[in-house]
């Protein structure tokens, strides 16, 4: 039997013979001591000195027993278990300290884990498809600062046939499908996909088959138009009927045949989407009618394109191949020489990047905010660790007599360090567990903020092995940060130092207290950086709200109607809108009602180039609105008149300009009654009014030049408009009323959806709001944690100086001077930390510059206010221990001794 195995079996057997081995060990030690006594007696040593000589030779019996036990124990494991048990008892004896330590660390761990869960779901997690690493996201560059990810149909169809380095190239577009159910048409979240979409993603269907290139033809395959369902839709709509394959589904009033069901794990190529129905890309003229993105060619940029590389093909090879075919595809896609010339001037070429994580536009919007939030969370965790390290050092100082006693009884420094590290590890593990338990709730809240209220966007922020590994790493780092320094610091002196400590050798203690003060100063500096960041972002968001939108969003509700699949159009549809508006305006609590095509600040846009006669053309933003729109929105009407229902195409084309557009087209002149010409069609519009400026797509930029045309003159045959309604009181009654009116006047359209304009405004600044809310929360936590650290450390320090303060009081020291003496300890720390933190905050604030609106990263008032807030918190945390010290009576010093 190998020696190692024999030793292992022996240690294993000893687990069940502990009492017997202890007894044998005591008997053996007694035997050797007896032999030594007999030897000493034979050598003539007096009986009175034999016992003392024996004790000096063998030393502490407990130490011998511990050394001997190490020979037959699993020493590391049993010592660890013993330390864990001892540390648990110590933590149980100090419930206040344990609760503060666990909650402080849980805050840091929970915040970090929640934000990392979000980063993992958005930036790191690969698509749940086989060999996701072979996927590539295609884009094209044309001289802009960022690559373009939205393709037109001609570009994609030309790329689709190139298989030099790609086995499959596919495109998709998320869409809303009107599906006929038992109670009428319903809006269902779906996705239009090209023929190679499913073969590229390599996920087999749960039932039937998936769509193929044969299905992606105008009119579908020889068996007609086909769709594939998601498992959740199959369950909800067909109750998991096994004969679903072959059934018909009426989409946009056209029958589609169900050919397959995809499993629940399949989400497509966009990690934030959960489409319920997959339809062929070629069915766009049917599903999106009357729009037709395919026939719009290079004027419709609506597709996201991904590809699967051939096995062994690298991204470099893919980019080289795309570079080669870029210009030929550009010339194939359009015969417009101006379009081709503009692209070639920008060095047009296609490019490929890793697509293992799929593609979502949210990633481009929130990558930088999430990265900054992650660093801020790291700051909170570091702050919590510094705070705990300071508290543990102060607590270790109070346990010096205990540690000295254990050293005197034979414990080694390594064993003491191990025990103190285990105590820190327990705090870290418990704090990490609490933080992980709270992280999903926080991450789901953040995910909801990122999705900006869009129900179609679903960000998976659930825990997986990456998040758990990250949490474990945090626990290890936290253990080392909060435990190692206090453990080494409290065990570095020998017994003589401890004896001197008992004789009040205070000069050594004062030198040793420098490190806790440095840690506390770092804590104050870090807290100041977070408070300054929160102040800057919060001020920026307030200024964004105060900047105004040009209209009054309070009490404004948008009701979206989907009219593109019903039978009315032209004047008949306008009459329907007028009836809807009249019925809505007569509802209780409704003050005004009108219609608009583009909801302001919804990131949708419509622009065109217009010109005054004989002048150069300017780009302006457009909207199609109904009568009483400006009154409902509370946009001031400066000159002219509002639209009326009589402003039809037969009465001549009309337009209302905002003030910025009027100044642009007719500087120094009255614009009312003038003509503006649409450059593309050379159509002339009469300016009938001038209204106030209102923000259009982005709340951060000033109101652009804009024009409003009446909905009665809209070029679209079936425009889907939004009713804009101003109400007094709650909106709940209006929801039921709008659905009832729609069901009565337009029973064939889906039930309208409702959003408040306040929500639209909030969602337009979702990134800034999220960062401001989190940084304010983190700053409040930083102030609280810093206050706990300053208070706890000073309270421990003051408690240890009871004798000194009692003697001072006995010698006649005034209470005010004692308060000042104690208060000065933290004042020095807070002053030094604020100085260092101010420098760090000024340097770090540059990273926030791109998120600030009309706010300087070095705003002196914010810097001053942050220092004042931190100083006030530090003073409040220090004052209580100082006042308590001033109440120490001389008798307390005697009792302490």
């Amino acid at each position: 039997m190998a020696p190692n195995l024999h030793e292992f079996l022996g240690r294993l057997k000893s687990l069940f013979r502990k009492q017997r081995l202890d007894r044998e060990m005591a008997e053996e030690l007694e035997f050797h001591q007896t032999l030594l006594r007999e030897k000493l007696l034979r050598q003539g040593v007096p009986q009175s000195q034999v016992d003392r000589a024996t004790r000096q030779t063998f030393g502490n019996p407990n130490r011998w027993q511990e050394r001997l036990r190490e020979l037959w124990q699993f020493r590391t494991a049993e010592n660890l278990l013993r330390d864990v048990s001892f540390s648990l008892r110590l933590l149980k004896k100090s419930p206040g300290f344990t609760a503060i330590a666990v909650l402080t660390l849980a805050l840091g761990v929970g915040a970090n884990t929640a934000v990392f869960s979000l980063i993992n779901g958005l930036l790191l997690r690969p698509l749940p498809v086989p060999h996701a690493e072979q996927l590539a996201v295609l884009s094209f560059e044309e001289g802009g600062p960022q690559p373009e990810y939205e393709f037109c149909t001609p570009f994609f169809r030309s790329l689709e046939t190139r298989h030099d380095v790609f086995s499959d190239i596919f495109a998709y577009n998320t869409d809303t499908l009107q599906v006929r159910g038992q109670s009428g048409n319903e809006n269902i979240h779906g996705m239009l996909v090209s023929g190679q979409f499913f073969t590229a993603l390599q996920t087999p269907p749960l039932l039937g088959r998936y769509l193929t290139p044969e299905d992606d033809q105008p009119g579908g395959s020889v068996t007609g138009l086909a769709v594939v369902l998601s498992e959740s839709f199959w369950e909800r709509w067909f109750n998991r009927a096994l004969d679903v394959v072959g059934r018909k589904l009426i989409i946009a009033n056209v029958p589609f045949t169900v050919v397959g069901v995809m499993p629940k794990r399949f989400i497509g190529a966009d990690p934030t989407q959960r489409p319920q129905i997959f339809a062929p890309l070629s069915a766009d003229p049917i599903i999106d009618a009357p729009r037709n993105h395919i026939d719009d060619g290079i004027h419709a940029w609506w597709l996201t394109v991904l590809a699967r590389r051939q096995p062994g093909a690298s991204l470099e090879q893919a980019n080289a191949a795309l570079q080669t075919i870029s210009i030929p595809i550009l010339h194939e896609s359009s015969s417009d020489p101006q379009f081709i010339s503009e692209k070639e001037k920008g060095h047009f070429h296609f490019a490929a990047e890793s697509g293992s994580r799929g593609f979502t536009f949210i990633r481009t919007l929130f990558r930088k905010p999430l990265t900054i939030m992650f660093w801020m969370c790291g700051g909170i965790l570091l702050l919590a660790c510094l705070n705990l390290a300071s508290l543990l050092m102060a607590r270790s100082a109070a346990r010096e007599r205990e540690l000295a006693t254990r050293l005197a009884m034979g414990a080694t420094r390594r064993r003491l360090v191990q025990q103190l590290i285990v105590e820190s590890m327990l705090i870290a593990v418990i704090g990490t567990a609490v933080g992980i338990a709270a992280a999903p709730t926080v991450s789901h809240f953040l995910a909801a903020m990122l999705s900006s209220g869009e129900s179609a966007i679903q960000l998976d922020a659930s825990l997986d092995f990456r998040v758990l590994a990250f949490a474990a790493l945090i626990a290890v780092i936290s253990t080392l940060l909060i435990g190692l320094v206090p453990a080494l610091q409290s065990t570095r002196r020998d017994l003589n130092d401890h004896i001197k400590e008992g004789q009040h050798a205070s000069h050594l203690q004062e030198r040793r207290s420098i490190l806790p003060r440095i840690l506390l100063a770092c804590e104050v500096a870090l807290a100041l950086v977070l408070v300054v960041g929160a102040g800057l972002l919060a001020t920026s968001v307030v200024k964004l709200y105060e900047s105004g939108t040009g209209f009054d969003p309070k009490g404004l509700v948008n009701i979206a109607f989907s009219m593109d699949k019903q039978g009315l159009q032209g004047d008949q549809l306008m009459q329907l809108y007028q009836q809807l508006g009249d019925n809505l305006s007569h509802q209780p609590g409704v003050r005004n009602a009108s219609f608009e095509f583009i909801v302001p600040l919804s990131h949708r846009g419509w622009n065109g180039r217009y010109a005054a006669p004989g002048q150069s053309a300017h780009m302006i933003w457009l909207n199609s609105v109904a009568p009483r729109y400006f009154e409902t929105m509370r946009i001031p009407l400066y000159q002219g008149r509002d639209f009326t229902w009589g402003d039809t195409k037969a009465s001549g084309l009309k337009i209302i300009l905002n003030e910025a557009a009027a100044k642009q087209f007719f500087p120094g002149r009255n614009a009312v009654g003038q003509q503006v010409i649409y450059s593309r069609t050379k159509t002339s519009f009469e300016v009938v009014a001038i209204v106030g400026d209102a923000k259009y797509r982005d709340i951060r930029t000033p109101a652009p030049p804009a024009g409003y045309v009446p909905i009665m003159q809209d070029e679209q045959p079936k425009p889907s408009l939004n009713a804009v309604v101003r109400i007094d009181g709650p909106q709940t009654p209006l929801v039921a009323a709008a659905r009832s009116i729609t069901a009565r006047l337009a029973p064939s359209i889906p039930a309208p959806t409702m959003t408040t304009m306040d929500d639209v405004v909030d969602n337009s600044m979702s990134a800034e709001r999220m960062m401001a809310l989190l940084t304010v929360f983190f700053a409040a936590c930083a102030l609280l944690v810093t206050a706990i650290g300053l208070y706890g450390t000073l309270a421990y320090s003051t408690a240890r100086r009871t004798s000194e303060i009692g003697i001072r009081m006995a010698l006649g020291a005034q209470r005010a001077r004692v308060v000042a003496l104690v208060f000065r300890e933290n004042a020095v720390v807070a002053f030094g930390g604020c100085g260092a933190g101010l420098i760090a905050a000024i340097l770090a604030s540059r990273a926030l510059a791109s998120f600030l609106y009309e706010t300087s990263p070095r705003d002196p008032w914010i810097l001053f206010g942050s220092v004042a807030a931190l100083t006030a918190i530090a003073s409040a945390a220090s004052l209580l221990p100082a006042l308590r010290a001033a109440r120490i009576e001389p008798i307390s010093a005697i009792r302490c001794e």
Side-chain angles (χ1 to χ4, degrees):
M1 184 177 296
N4 290 338
L5 181 60
H6 179 77
E7 182 180 348
F8 174 79
L9 292 176
R11 291 173 186 265
L12 191 64
K13 190 185 299 181
S14 66
L15 290 175
F16 307 97
R17 303 168 57 204
K18 279 189 176 181
Q19 292 184 352
R20 179 181 174 183
L21 289 174
D22 282 343
R23 190 171 57 252
E24 292 176 356
M25 184 169 56
E27 292 174 356
E28 185 175 354
L29 183 61
E30 180 62 27
F31 171 74
H32 288 289
Q33 288 176 339
T34 302
L35 290 179
L36 180 60
R37 288 192 193 95
E38 293 175 355
K39 180 181 177 182
L40 292 174
L41 289 172
R42 285 197 300 272
Q43 292 174 352
V45 177
Q47 179 66 40
S48 58
Q49 298 180 9
V50 167
D51 290 339
R52 198 180 81 171
T54 303
R55 286 197 298 270
Q56 287 178 341
T57 303
F58 283 90
N60 192 329
N62 293 329
R63 189 168 185 171
W64 274 104
Q65 291 175 2
E66 189 167 334
R67 295 289 183 273
L68 290 173
R69 285 194 189 98
E70 292 174 355
L71 298 177
W72 46 267
Q73 282 181 332
F74 292 103
R75 185 176 56 181
T76 303
E78 295 197 18
N79 285 344
L80 182 62
L81 290 175
R82 198 176 297 123
D83 290 342
V84 168
S85 175
F86 181 71
S87 298
L88 284 174
R89 290 199 300 272
L90 283 180
L91 293 177
K92 189 177 178 181
K93 284 179 62 179
S94 307
F97 169 81
T98 305
I100 290 175
V102 169
L103 289 177
T104 303
L105 197 59
L107 176 67
V109 174
N112 276 270
T113 307
V115 174
F116 183 79
S117 299
L118 215 57
I119 292 175
N120 181 46
L122 192 62
L123 306 179
L124 302 178
R125 181 177 291 147
L127 287 176
V129 300
H131 305 293
E133 72 281 358
Q134 294 178 355
L135 295 175
V137 176
L138 302 192
S139 62
F140 61 88
E141 298 186 9
E142 51 182 0
Q146 300 290 336
E148 300 290 339
Y149 292 98
E150 292 183 332
F151 281 63
C152 62
T153 308
F155 279 2
F156 165 66
R157 290 303 185 191
S158 297
L159 283 167
E160 190 181 25
T161 59
R162 314 295 173 110
H163 293 287
D164 297 336
V165 292
F166 299 113
S167 59
D168 299 289
I169 299 179
F170 62 95
Y172 63 89
N173 179 53
T174 56
D175 207 339
T176 300
L177 282 60
Q178 283 193 16
V179 183
R180 184 174 301 170
Q182 294 179 349
S183 58
N185 284 335
E186 289 187 30
N187 284 334
I188 303 297
H189 181 54
M191 182 174 281
L192 303 182
V193 301
S194 67
Q196 299 176 33
F197 178 83
F198 288 102
T199 52
L201 295 179
Q202 297 184 354
T203 301
L206 188 65
L207 289 176
R209 65 174 178 85
Y210 46 58
L211 299 176
T212 63
E214 286 72 27
D215 296 303
D216 189 21
Q217 303 292 332
S221 66
V222 292
T223 58
L225 295 166
V227 292
V228 169
L229 310 180
S230 69
E231 185 177 355
S232 58
F233 184 79
W234 171 50
E235 182 175 355
R236 181 171 69 87
W237 201 272
F238 293 99
N239 197 24
R240 302 184 74 89
L242 296 177
D243 61 345
V244 66
V245 175
R247 290 195 188 185
K248 298 294 183 183
L249 204 60
I250 306 301
I251 303 175
N253 303 322
V254 175
F256 285 71
T257 303
V258 177
V259 298
V261 178
M262 296 303 293
K264 194 169 290 183
R265 69 177 184 279
F266 181 79
I267 59 173
D270 188 334
T272 63
Q273 299 290 326
R274 299 293 183 273
Q276 302 295 295
I277 300 175
F278 298 91
L281 201 65
S282 58
D284 172 71
I286 299 172
I287 292 174
D288 286 333
R291 295 186 299 274
N292 188 333
H293 296 98
I294 296 175
D295 286 351
D296 286 345
I298 61 171
H299 301 292
W301 302 87
W302 62 301
L303 296 174
T304 303
V305 180
L306 274 77
R308 179 175 286 277
R309 284 174 281 143
Q310 299 276 12
S314 64
L315 276 178
E316 290 75 15
Q317 292 172 319
N319 276 304
L322 288 171
Q323 183 83 31
T324 305
I325 64 177
S326 295
I327 296 302
I329 287 181
L330 177 63
H331 285 265
E332 288 174 15
S333 302
S334 175
S335 58
D336 185 349
Q338 185 178 357
F339 171 77
I340 296 174
S341 173
E342 289 178 355
K343 297 292 181 187
E344 288 182 335
K345 283 181 182 175
H347 304 286
F348 174 85
H349 66 274
F350 295 110
E353 58 189 78
S354 174
S356 62
R357 296 163 291 125
F359 177 82
T360 174
F361 75 94
I362 293 182
R363 190 177 294 153
T364 60
L365 292 176
F366 287 98
R367 184 191 301 272
K368 191 174 179 182
L370 281 177
T371 304
I372 290 179
M373 294 312 306
F374 187 64
W375 282 109
M376 286 190 173
C377 290
I380 283 289
L381 180 64
L382 181 59
L383 190 70
C385 291
L386 288 174
N387 185 57
L388 288 180
S390 302
L391 289 176
L392 283 174
M393 289 182 74
R395 192 164 178 260
S396 298
R399 292 173 56 189
E400 281 180 349
R401 290 182 183 277
E402 170 209 334
L403 298 176
T405 304
R406 294 172 64 185
L407 282 172
M409 293 179 68
T412 63
R413 186 188 182 196
R414 180 183 173 185
R415 286 285 295 115
L416 291 181
V417 169
Q418 177 180 320
Q419 193 275 316
L420 292 172
I421 292 287
V422 167
E423 188 177 332
S424 306
M425 182 191 69
L426 283 178
I427 294 174
V429 169
I430 297 173
T432 302
V434 175
I436 290 177
T441 303
V442 180
S443 59
H444 289 156
F445 169 73
L446 295 177
M449 292 189 70
L450 290 186
S451 62
S452 302
E454 294 285 343
S455 58
I457 296 177
Q458 296 184 22
L459 185 57
D460 184 6
S462 59
L463 303 181
D464 62 8
F465 76 95
R466 289 184 190 80
V467 179
L468 295 177
F470 175 77
L473 179 64
I474 286 182
V476 172
I477 293 175
S478 303
T479 301
L480 295 177
L481 284 177
I482 68 178
L484 191 59
V485 173
L488 294 176
Q489 182 74 16
S490 58
T491 58
R492 70 189 179 98
R493 293 187 301 162
D494 57 23
L495 282 173
N496 289 330
D497 290 333
H498 288 291
I499 295 171
K500 291 175 182 177
E501 176 69 13
Q503 296 170 350
H504 307 289
S506 59
H507 62 283
L508 185 57
Q509 176 191 352
E510 290 175 358
R511 285 203 306 271
R512 197 179 51 169
S513 64
I514 292 176
L515 183 56
R517 291 181 180 183
I518 292 175
L519 292 179
L520 276 177
C522 293
E523 190 177 333
V524 172
L526 194 54
L528 184 61
V529 173
L530 293 171
V531 172
V532 169
L536 290 172
L537 289 170
T539 304
S540 174
V541 169
V542 170
K543 287 189 175 180
L544 260 179
Y545 276 109
E546 290 178 345
S547 66
T549 57
F551 55 86
D552 183 6
K554 299 296 182 186
L556 216 52
V557 176
N558 297 300
I559 307 173
F561 295 95
S562 299
M563 294 290 190
D564 51 355
K565 302 298 184 301
Q566 49 78 48
L568 302 179
Q569 60 180 352
D571 291 340
Q572 292 181 320
L573 181 58
M574 290 302 112
Q575 291 176 6
L576 174 60
Y577 275 124
Q578 189 172 2
Q579 292 175 8
L580 288 170
D582 290 342
N583 279 270
L584 286 171
S585 62
H586 287 94
Q587 297 303 310
V590 174
R591 302 186 64 177
N592 301 100
S594 184
F595 291 92
E596 63 189 357
F597 179 58
I598 302 289
V599 176
L601 307 178
S602 63
H603 301 297
R604 292 182 62 202
W606 168 27
N607 57 21
R609 297 183 69 80
Y610 286 73
Q615 304 293 324
S616 57
H618 300 282
M619 182 75 75
I620 64 172
W621 293 95
L622 297 163
N623 202 352
S624 179
V625 301
R628 303 188 68 188
Y629 174 76
F630 303 104
E631 179 185 355
T632 306
M633 296 288 286
R634 293 180 178 168
I635 297 174
L637 181 65
Y638 293 139
Q639 297 179 48
R641 64 169 179 84
D642 195 357
F643 292 133
T644 67
W645 288 104
D647 286 324
T648 61
K649 292 179 182 177
S651 65
L653 299 178
K654 305 291 190 301
I655 191 170
I656 293 177
L657 300 179
N658 70 355
E659 201 171 15
K663 289 180 180 177
Q664 190 175 51
F665 290 124
F666 308 102
R669 291 187 291 160
N670 185 2
V672 176
Q674 304 284 346
Q675 299 286 320
V676 292
I677 301 169
Y678 181 35
S679 300
R680 185 177 174 186
T681 59
K682 307 301 181 187
T683 309
S684 183
F685 291 77
E686 179 190 356
V687 180
V688 297
I690 306 299
V691 297
D693 294 337
K695 294 189 175 178
Y696 191 87
R697 296 185 68 183
D698 191 353
I699 197 172
R700 303 162 192 78
T701 57
Y708 302 88
V709 296
I711 60 171
M712 296 72 72
Q713 299 178 357
D714 200 309
E715 293 295 330
Q716 304 176 76
K718 297 180 182 180
S720 292
L721 303 177
N722 299 277
V724 52
V725 184
R726 184 169 294 281
I727 60 173
D728 291 328
Q731 58 173 330
T732 307
L734 185 61
V735 177
R739 290 181 176 174
S740 174
I741 293 170
T742 305
R744 179 163 48 87
L745 298 178
S748 62
I749 69 172
T753 57
M754 185 177 294
T755 56
T756 66
M757 190 55 82
D758 282 333
D759 289 340
V760 174
V761 173
D762 288 343
N763 294 335
S764 67
M765 55 176 88
S766 56
E768 288 85 355
R769 277 198 321 128
M770 180 193 74
M771 293 183 66
L773 285 174
L774 287 181
T775 50
V776 168
F777 173 71
F778 290 157
C781 294
L783 290 175
L784 178 63
V785 169
T786 304
I788 291 173
L790 290 171
Y791 169 79
T793 308
L794 192 60
Y796 270 114
S797 172
T798 305
R800 298 189 69 239
R801 297 176 63 185
T802 300
S803 301
E804 172 201 341
I805 295 172
I807 294 171
R808 286 176 182 268
M809 299 298 290
L811 294 176
Q814 297 179 349
R815 295 187 185 278
R817 293 182 64 86
V818 173
V819 170
L821 175 71
V822 176
F823 189 82
R824 190 166 55 236
E825 286 192 24
N826 272 3
V828 173
V829 170
F831 181 77
C834 284
L838 202 57
I839 297 172
I842 291 173
L843 295 175
S845 61
R846 295 177 181 175
L848 299 177
S850 60
F851 298 98
L852 301 179
Y853 177 79
E854 294 184 353
T855 304
S856 169
R858 298 179 180 177
D859 190 313
W861 288 107
I862 295 175
L863 296 175
F864 174 78
S866 302
V867 172
L870 196 56
T871 302
I873 291 294
S875 300
S878 307
L879 199 56
L880 191 59
L883 292 174
R884 189 179 297 162
R887 290 200 297 268
I888 294 176
E889 299 293 342
I891 190 65
S892 300
I894 297 173
R895 287 173 181 165
C896 183
E897 290 299 315

